[in-house]
Amino acid sequence: MFNFVVTNISLIVFALVHGIIATNNGVFPDSISVSSNTNKWTQKWSMAIEKLGVEAKTVFPVYSNSTTKFTCPQLHRSRTRPQSVHALTPADINIVAAMGDSVTAGNGAGASSILGVFTEYRKLAFSIGGHDTVLERTTVPNLMQFYNPEVYGFSTGIGNVNSAAAGLNVAQPGNEAVHMLGQAQLLIDRMKSDNGVDFTNDWKMITMFIGANDLCEACNDWNAYTPSNYVKNIMAALDLLHQNVPRAFVNVVSVLDITQLSQLSEGFICKTVHLLVCNCPTGSSEATKNRIQELNLQYQKQLEALIASGRYDTREDFTVVLQPFLEQSRLPMTSDGVPDKTYFAPDCFHFSDKGNKQVGIGLWNNLFESVGSKSRNWHFGDEIHCPTDGDHALLKTSKNVLRCFKQC
């Protein structure tokens, strides 16, 4: 009987991975569409599903916060389009876009089972999801829409990178830093061909969040996942954007301390998934975990050095800003002092809908903190920053820290 169940689950996973099953009725299996270039990621997940057997059908609650209390005042939009990236407020952003891995693809964000983690709930992703309004979901695009209802490019539904629901979200599950150059080219091509984008004149906010899969794989090939390779790959993508995209404010979100996931590796399901999908920081020896933690730290430091070098501050209409709010953040805890899994998908790895909303607030708040003084230790439950007319409304860059609003 057990072998029969495992075999059938394996067949379902195969069908999900290759797009044969694509239901959306909220019942097992969850709707799914997995892009073709994520074979390593899907192979690992297939192994995990086989190992879980009947446990893969376990139904979990879908956690979502109640309605958000949002009382920020409106901003006055600039009478004319700003000419400098250092003079932008949220009301000036016309286009939002995103690059990254399964977190930005929204994998598992609305899942009620482990199989649901294959589903790309892009509409819920913290940096690019545009489902509902800011009162229900505090993603960055929803917050942006409060100040400029004409914001365009956010993800609107469930689907892979090539679906209409993706919008300008080119993130793909399983991708690593080495894939960012390809994503940058795809994004450029997509923006140029999209009738909703005025490529030359629209101000664009592009958010990149990458590195978790690099750290998950590092202990299998230390030479391939060095900090220098990580930064070199990101630099190649940023260089391409810098050379080809006018009027762009690029966020690079630092990778969090992924070794903390070992605190969530309790219970058969989460322990099995972590062991097979992201073993290096969660299921390996203490010596390996310590090495991953140091690698994690070097990723952060060398990425910051790249962005602080001024390489991307050679034009008035383009900049790259590091958003480090996750760097030193700790897992959310319950009142009993244990990790609060309601912020995570059933795999105890990806963010749940509730988690995405809270991470969205973290990124939003970082946008308005001065470069060099940005928070690196964000807390679940932080209040939403309300930008107000004048200097406090500026999206902070390395060059507007000392400028007053009228001079920008």
Side-chain angles (χ1 to χ4, degrees):
M1 176 63 180
F2 178 76
N3 289 334
F4 172 79
V5 171
V6 171
T7 300
N8 278 275
I9 289 176
S10 300
L11 288 173
I12 290 172
V13 171
F14 178 85
L16 293 173
V17 169
H18 293 280
I20 298 170
I21 296 177
T23 60
N24 188 23
N25 54 14
V27 181
F28 171 86
D30 289 13
S31 60
I32 181 65
S33 183
V34 178
S35 51
S36 61
N37 71 336
T38 58
N39 289 336
K40 183 166 64 174
W41 189 83
T42 53
Q43 286 171 3
K44 285 185 174 185
W45 270 98
S46 296
M47 291 172 59
I49 297 301
E50 286 194 36
K51 183 73 173 178
L52 288 172
V54 294
E55 294 292 331
K57 296 178 68 173
T58 302
V59 176
F60 293 82
V62 177
Y63 295 104
S64 179
N65 283 345
S66 57
T67 301
T68 303
K69 183 180 180 182
F70 185 78
T71 58
C72 294
Q74 279 286 357
L75 292 174
H76 292 97
R77 294 189 67 180
S78 303
R79 294 179 181 178
T80 59
R81 291 180 194 258
Q83 298 301 304
S84 172
V85 71
H86 309 295
L88 297 178
T89 75
D92 299 315
I93 299 297
N94 309 106
I95 304 297
V96 288
M99 305 163 59
D101 53 28
S102 54
V103 174
T104 302
N107 282 81
S112 59
S113 71
I114 286 295
L115 283 182
V117 178
F118 281 103
T119 303
E120 297 173 33
Y121 294 90
R122 291 174 184 264
K123 65 180 181 179
L124 304 179
F126 72 94
S127 64
I128 193 64
H131 186 53
D132 289 328
T133 72
V134 68
L135 295 179
E136 291 83 27
R137 289 180 169 81
T138 48
T139 61
V140 169
N142 281 348
L143 286 156
M144 285 285 183
Q145 286 184 85
F146 176 77
Y147 299 101
N148 180 4
E150 298 177 1
V151 167
Y152 179 83
F154 50 82
S155 298
T156 58
I158 296 171
N160 69 11
V161 66
N162 296 316
S163 66
L168 296 176
N169 179 356
V170 297
Q172 298 194 56
N175 274 197
E176 301 168 354
V178 70
H179 299 107
M180 290 303 96
L181 179 60
Q183 284 194 24
Q185 186 61 64
L186 175 60
L187 179 58
I188 292 167
D189 293 343
R190 189 166 289 185
M191 288 192 294
K192 285 183 174 181
S193 63
D194 193 322
N195 292 331
V197 179
D198 182 340
F199 190 71
T200 301
N201 296 307
D202 282 342
W203 280 106
K204 310 158 194 74
M205 176 173 284
I206 303 168
T207 301
M208 179 193 296
F209 182 38
I210 197 71
N213 290 317
D214 299 74
L215 293 166
C216 285
E217 283 291 316
C219 68
N220 298 316
D221 189 345
W222 293 110
N223 292 330
Y225 295 98
T226 62
S228 60
N229 282 345
Y230 172 74
V231 172
K232 178 185 70 176
N233 288 321
I234 291 178
M235 182 173 69
L238 294 176
D239 283 355
L240 188 67
L241 293 174
H242 185 225
Q243 294 160 9
N244 292 278
V245 182
R247 296 198 168 188
F249 185 109
V250 181
N251 298 308
V252 179
V253 178
S254 302
V255 66
L256 73 168
D257 178 7
I258 200 170
T259 61
Q260 294 181 80
L261 291 176
S262 60
Q263 300 176 47
L264 297 171
S265 296
E266 295 183 357
F268 178 63
I269 292 177
C270 290
K271 185 176 293 185
T272 299
V273 169
H274 290 181
L275 181 65
L276 294 173
V277 176
C278 189
N279 177 61
C280 293
T282 60
S284 52
S285 67
E286 284 303 312
T288 299
K289 289 180 185 177
N290 290 339
R291 188 169 177 181
I292 291 291
Q293 193 168 41
E294 177 58 29
L295 185 64
N296 204 143
L297 181 62
Q298 290 304 315
Y299 277 14
Q300 295 172 352
K301 287 184 175 180
Q302 293 194 28
L303 182 60
E304 182 171 12
L306 168 67
I307 295 171
S309 69
R311 186 182 184 92
Y312 305 109
D313 290 318
T314 61
R315 306 197 323 253
E316 276 296 302
D317 73 334
F318 188 98
T319 195
V320 178
V321 181
L322 184 74
Q323 308 299 356
F325 69 102
L326 289 175
E327 282 189 359
Q328 299 174 14
S329 296
R330 302 293 93 185
L331 294 178
M333 295 290 178
T334 67
S335 57
D336 296 326
V338 297
D340 189 343
K341 292 185 178 181
T342 66
Y343 289 93
F344 298 91
D347 63 348
C348 304
F349 185 92
H350 295 89
F351 294 123
S352 64
D353 184 16
K354 178 180 178 179
N356 271 287
K357 290 193 285 188
Q358 291 298 310
V359 178
I361 294 173
L363 175 54
W364 175 261
N365 289 351
N366 240 186
L367 292 172
F368 302 98
E369 295 172 342
S370 296
V371 172
S373 302
K374 289 181 179 289
S375 173
R376 298 171 188 267
N377 189 5
W378 158 78
H379 300 90
F380 288 80
D382 281 351
E383 294 184 0
I384 301 170
H385 172 77
C386 290
T388 54
D389 284 325
D391 223 13
H392 296 293
L394 287 178
L395 300 171
K396 296 302 190 292
T397 72
S398 62
K399 291 189 176 182
N400 65 17
V401 175
L402 300 178
R403 296 186 187 185
C404 77
F405 182 67
K406 292 182 180 179
Q407 291 176 328
C408 291

